[in-house]
Amino acid sequence: IVSIVKSLKNFAHPDTQKKVIINLNKTLEDVITITRNEWKYISDLTTDFKHIDIMIPCFPNQLNQVFLNMIINARDAIQEAIDKKLIEKGNIEISTDMNTDYAIVAIKDNGIGISEEIKSKIFDPFFTTKEVGKGSGQGLAIAHSIIYDKHKGMIRVESEYGKGTTFYVYLPLRDLSLEL
């Protein structure tokens, strides 16, 4: 209970107009804790954080929203694969690493995957593969805007229909506007 309350407090801290420096791994741990009830009955979730602390400049609430959307999408993809009898139980793997310029978050699932025909549309506003009433088609469009426009980062996706998907989120390690 203490862990959940702390994660909720960290997750819901007031949004700032300026970027602040956060520990990326701690942020991901908080989002994982917050979303646990969404995935725990159908999936295992593992983490592999290559560095103890990856400190990045960001808008914390917006970044929380990106990772929450991606974990929920992974859960939905896993549920669809289970419903189609492609898998018995899901796996979500979240890893972090960094190079000289970027922190890199990989969120991998063994869900239904994304077909080549629709891969180019997944970041379009209102595009969804979910049935009516199940999704707004805004999650990935919002994530794309937050990462590219607000954080000057990138998102890359690898997917094979029937096998699963990995989203790679690249976040700059430095923000020159914070150094002025």
Side-chain angles (χ1 to χ4, degrees), residues 46-63:
T46 57
T47 59
D48 180 16
F49 299 155
K50 303 275 191 276
H51 303 273
I52 294 172
D53 294 320
I54 299 179
M55 306 305 287
I56 62 165
C58 73
F59 298 102
N61 283 358
Q62 293 179 11
L63 209 53

Side-chain angles (χ1 to χ4, degrees), residues 66 70 123 139-150 153 155:
V66 168
M70 289 186 167
F123 295 111
L140 287 177
I142 290 169
H144 186 272
S145 175
I146 289 170
I147 298 303
Y148 277 84
D149 300 332
K150 300 286 186 175
I155 301 176

Side-chain angles (χ1 to χ4, degrees), residues 4-128:
I4 293 170
V5 170
K6 283 182 181 177
S7 293
L8 278 169
K9 183 180 175 199
N10 291 335
F11 186 85
H13 58 64
D15 205 9
T16 61
Q17 299 299 323
K18 297 189 316 186
K19 288 183 181 176
V20 296
I21 305 295
I22 59 132
N23 183 324
L24 179 61
N25 294 338
K26 178 68 178 119
T27 294
L28 285 163
E29 288 171 356
D30 290 339
V31 174
I32 290 165
T33 299
I34 298 297
T35 60
R36 180 167 273 111
N37 277 340
E38 295 291 329
W39 50 262
K40 73 178 183 180
Y41 298 108
I42 64 166
S43 179
D44 293 321
L45 190 149
T46 57
T47 59
D48 180 16
F49 299 155
K50 303 275 191 276
H51 303 273
I52 294 172
D53 294 320
I54 299 179
M55 306 305 287
I56 62 165
C58 73
F59 298 102
N61 283 358
Q62 293 179 11
L63 209 53
N64 285 339
Q65 189 64 51
V66 168
F67 297 134
L68 182 134
N69 287 349
M70 289 186 167
I71 291 171
I72 298 303
N73 281 354
R75 185 257 349 245
D76 292 346
I78 287 167
Q79 185 63 61
E80 188 174 346
I82 290 170
D83 292 347
K84 291 185 177 187
K85 309 268 189 259
L86 297 175
I87 59 173
E88 289 184 26
K89 187 164 187 179
N91 291 304
I92 300 171
E93 300 170 25
I94 301 176
S95 62
T96 61
D97 202 353
M98 61 184 177
N99 60 30
T100 55
D101 298 318
Y102 292 97
I104 306 159
V105 179
I107 300 175
K108 179 180 182 177
D109 68 67
N110 66 333
I112 195 69
I114 303 167
S115 69
E116 284 300 318
E117 299 83 55
I118 66 169
K119 202 181 289 186
S120 65
K121 300 176 188 174
I122 63 171
F123 295 111
D124 292 351
F126 305 108
F127 178 79
T128 184

